Amino acid sequence: MTKGESIFYCHEKAQKARMILLRFLCLFVAKDLSATIAGMQISEELRRRFAEAERVLVLTGAGISAESGVPTFRGGGNTAVWKGMRFDVISSAEMVERDLPAVWEWFDYRRNFMDSILPNPAHYEIARWQERFPDFTLVTQNVDGLHQKAGSRDVVELHGNVWRARCTVCGLGHDMSQSARPDACPSCGHELRPDVVLFGEMLPRGAFEFASSKAASCDLCFVIGTSALVYPAAGLPGIARAAGAYVCEVNPERTPLSDLCDEVITGKAGEVVPRIGAQ
Ligand code: APR
């Protein structure tokens, strides 16, 4: 402001500057918003395939439960740590051998945490799809039971479920969703362990074989909320793609699978999945 210029004049300049800044911000936000919406666009091709699909496979990962408040394992750069131990240490077969009580402490904590967690719109939308498609398969890497809480049936749980325990000797499973964890196997009295696939362990017998046979025969495959770093689960979309299915990924970040997919929708599952179904 030069000497002698009236406050008003300066005020006018400031006003102009504010308007220019505001216009710039609006442009920027609009551009960003349109990019976000563009990233979350659902193509005509996907709309058509969704409307015509007979055999649909959905693979989910930790990301689908993120909006319910369940931390993911890797997305967002941080890694879950329990009492100073990385999650892949406390959640390992070796730890079950070395210190089963410590493993139970970690899984009891996770179960108690999950007790108040509710499914989000993505879980509910997918539960509706089992009525919509003649042949629908839901495969999850998640152990949180939120798909079932949302009403999904016959969920193929590749990595087990925190609400179940199983005997370390006779293998008998024990449901903990309605009752407390028993001290020992009700059948043979041996130690129980979490019925979750831990690092260094094989998947439950038949689960992956069933999932891959469905992937090889589906015409539409969705990959929702997984970093696609853990195999064999991350191999399912490739099996579907190789068999001619249309593969669509939903994730706020790109993954090693993104280039393989026919369509990538960049966004949060809770916002995108209901929009896919809302047609
Ligand atoms: N909606 C969709 N995807 C999301 C969201 C969201 N709201 N928030 C995060 N994501 C994405 C992240 O970008 C990331 O790609 O979810 C993914 C989560 O990746 P991981 O934490 O690696 O989970 P997941 O792929 O399920 O891990 C596979 O690894 O640790 C083992 O056994 C564990 O089942 C788990 C397996």
Side-chain angles (χ1 to χ4, degrees):
M1 171 169 59
T2 54
K3 199 159 168 317
E5 268 178 344
S6 74
I7 295 290
F8 173 73
Y9 174 66
C10 302
H11 185 62
E12 216 182 285
K13 262 192 177 169
Q15 193 80 341
K16 257 209 200 96
R18 251 198 305 278
M19 291 309 290
I20 292 166
L21 183 62
L22 209 59
R23 210 171 291 128
F24 173 75
L25 279 176
C26 291
L27 276 176
F28 178 77
V29 171
K31 191 165 152 300
D32 183 54
L33 203 56
S34 61
T36 308
I37 290 170
M40 280 170 60
Q41 282 302 338
I42 297 168
S43 73
E44 278 317 308
E45 178 68 13
L46 179 57
R47 291 182 191 287
R48 182 179 65 75
R49 293 204 179 233
F50 190 85
E52 294 168 3
E54 299 274 323
R55 298 176 303 282
V56 175
L57 181 129
V58 173
L59 171 67
T60 64
I64 198 169
S65 298
E67 291 150 272
S68 293
V70 184
T72 59
F73 296 94
R74 296 171 194 85
N78 55 12
T79 298
V81 172
W82 170 256
K83 296 197 171 179
M85 269 184 285
R86 284 170 50 91
F87 77 89
D88 48 3
V89 173
I90 185 69
S91 299
S92 66
E94 193 253 331
M95 203 62 178
V96 166
E97 293 302 317
R98 188 149 49 94
D99 190 350
L100 182 53
V103 174
W104 267 126
E105 207 189 342
W106 159 237
F107 279 92
D108 291 346
Y109 163 81
R110 291 178 75 183
R111 247 191 358 274
N112 293 336
F113 172 80
M114 291 301 311
D115 211 19
S116 56
I117 297 278
L118 296 174
N120 65 59
H123 295 107
Y124 287 114
E125 180 59 37
I126 289 172
R128 281 191 280 275
W129 293 358
Q130 62 193 347
E131 316 301 342
R132 179 176 186 137
F133 299 106
D135 184 340
F136 180 76
T137 308
L138 172 56
V139 182
T140 189
Q141 300 168 84
N142 301 347
V143 296
D144 56 30
L146 288 178
H147 282 301
Q148 291 90 333
K149 236 182 197 174
S152 285
R153 300 182 305 275
D154 311 323
V155 181
V156 182
E157 296 176 308
L158 292 180
H159 297 159
N161 188 309
V162 290
W163 296 101
R164 280 198 312 271
R166 83 165 185 271
C167 178
T168 51
V169 175
C170 73
L172 179 77
H174 184 84
D175 180 10
M176 296 184 286
S177 58
Q178 309 303 328
S179 58
R181 170 163 68 85
D183 297 337
C185 172
S187 166
C188 70
H190 284 95
E191 280 181 319
L192 290 173
R193 52 154 288 164
D195 190 14
V196 167
V197 177
L198 302 174
F199 282 86
E201 292 187 328
M202 303 294 286
L203 269 56
R205 207 193 314 281
F208 183 74
E209 292 71 13
F210 174 76
S212 48
S213 69
K214 285 293 184 179
S217 61
C218 72
D219 43 38
L220 183 55
C221 170
F222 289 98
V223 193
I224 304 172
T226 181
S227 58
L229 296 172
V230 175
Y231 281 75
L236 288 171
I239 294 171
R241 188 77 175 48
Y246 190 82
V247 182
C248 173
E249 180 180 56
V250 178
N251 196 314
E253 295 172 12
R254 287 190 71 77
T255 75
L257 273 176
S258 302
D259 293 341
L260 170 149
C261 293
D262 298 286
E263 184 156 345
V264 174
I265 305 179
T266 310
K268 295 181 173 177
E271 294 165 9
V272 172
V273 175
R275 291 181 52 219
I276 295 173
Q279 50 173 324

